[in-house]
Amino acid sequence: MSTRVATLADAAGRPLRDVVYTTLRDELMNGDIKFGERLTEPKLSARFGISRTPIREALTVLCSDGLLRREEYGFSPVRPSIPLIRDLYELRITLELGGIQRAIGNPEVRHDRALLAAERASWLELQADPPEQEPGFVVRDEEFHVTLLTAAGNAELVRALKSVNSRIRHVRMYDFMVNNRIETTIVEHLAILDAVLTEDLPLAYRLLHTHIGESLDVVLERVTRAITAMSLATE
């Protein structure tokens, strides 16, 4: 195992910590690691055939992602709460649509066009060279939504959205495990930006609402599937 992990790290130019992190993250999100299963540094060190340091670093990041929680001895998978996910997504929708709604309701509120134009250019680059299907894309996706809300000019809405994002990031990763979701996201983001930049705010409002709603549908389907797999007794 040590040779395989080292080879993967060398080939990808990534440290061992990142290889271990990616491996465990994918296993957690695919339901390969069951609820109640305990992950410990000694066991994982033996499994991967490497020292405990990169194992410890990977586990720390997984806890930060919300996929693992620290127990008295070792770490265990976090069971996502479907009702909580729905509640947080509802709050997310309210916050994000609020940025556009305040501009619709008040002609004096104008979006920061320079900020949105720079964001549009960035997403056009991604469209020209889409990244690989990877759950970590959620971070770049968050940046889009924070930038869009920032451009509407209400710092408190932005602060609240960032807080919500940190609480749903671990389940939003499931959104980008589905084939073509990154490409679809890029297209939808550009459509939203174009609608705002052309000042068709009602269209931007509808597009954003649909975009977040579709993301929720995908996340709930994937999370439910993972929960089912993780709940099955290990054979």
Side-chain angles (χ1 to χ4, degrees):
M1 180 64 73
S2 59
T3 301
R4 184 178 69 84
V5 172
T7 300
L8 285 173
D10 292 341
R14 297 182 297 164
L16 291 174
R17 172 200 62 220
D18 292 349
V19 177
V20 174
Y21 164 77
T22 300
T23 301
L24 294 178
R25 182 197 64 193
D26 292 349
E27 290 177 355
L28 285 162
M29 298 181 71
N30 284 317
D32 297 328
I33 298 175
K34 312 301 180 185
F35 290 124
E37 186 172 343
R38 196 61 56 92
L39 304 180
T40 66
E41 290 181 18
K43 287 171 62 176
L44 292 172
S45 179
R47 171 189 166 184
F48 288 102
I50 58 178
S51 71
R52 292 191 188 184
T53 298
I55 299 294
R56 184 179 306 118
E57 293 171 347
L59 291 171
T60 298
V61 178
L62 289 167
C63 286
S64 177
D65 285 344
L67 293 171
L68 286 179
R69 63 168 170 264
R70 188 183 297 274
E71 304 286 0
E72 184 175 352
Y73 180 68
F75 302 79
S76 65
V78 172
R79 183 189 295 268
S81 165
I82 299 299
L84 179 59
I85 293 170
R86 288 188 182 277
D87 287 349
L88 289 173
Y89 255 83
E90 182 177 336
L91 177 56
R92 178 193 173 197
I93 289 173
T94 299
L95 292 170
E96 294 205 41
L97 294 182
I100 296 179
Q101 184 59 55
R102 68 190 299 268
I104 292 176
N106 184 355
E108 295 184 2
V109 175
R110 307 295 296 272
H111 283 81
D112 185 331
R113 296 182 62 85
L115 183 62
L116 294 184
E119 187 69 10
R120 182 176 184 274
S122 176
W123 284 88
L124 283 173
E125 291 181 2
L126 286 172
Q127 187 176 50
D129 184 20
E132 64 182 46
Q133 207 74 35
E134 216 281 321
F137 187 76
V138 67
V139 175
R140 182 63 187 89
D141 182 79
E142 284 180 10
E143 291 172 356
F144 165 84
H145 290 278
V146 168
T147 298
L148 180 63
L149 190 55
T150 299
N154 187 314
E156 291 306 315
L157 286 176
V158 173
R159 185 174 294 109
L161 177 61
K162 288 180 177 180
S163 176
V164 172
N165 282 342
S166 69
R167 297 180 66 190
I168 61 175
R169 185 174 300 126
H170 67 297
V171 294
R172 290 207 58 235
M173 288 182 180
Y174 290 91
D175 198 2
F176 302 110
M177 295 175 66
V178 182
N179 289 337
N180 300 322
R181 275 300 292 170
I182 288 180
E183 289 81 354
T184 298
T185 294
I186 292 171
V187 170
E188 292 177 353
H189 282 185
L190 287 170
I192 294 167
L193 288 170
D194 287 344
V196 176
L197 288 169
T198 57
E199 299 187 1
D200 191 343
L201 298 182
L203 174 60
Y205 186 98
R206 293 195 301 273
L207 291 174
L208 181 59
H209 197 176
T210 299
H211 171 68
I212 299 175
E214 289 177 347
S215 173
L216 173 59
D217 291 340
V218 172
V219 167
L220 288 178
E221 191 276 331
R222 290 284 306 185
V223 169
T224 300
R225 186 187 307 171
I227 288 175
T228 299
M230 293 170 76
S231 298
L232 296 176
T234 304
E235 297 182 1

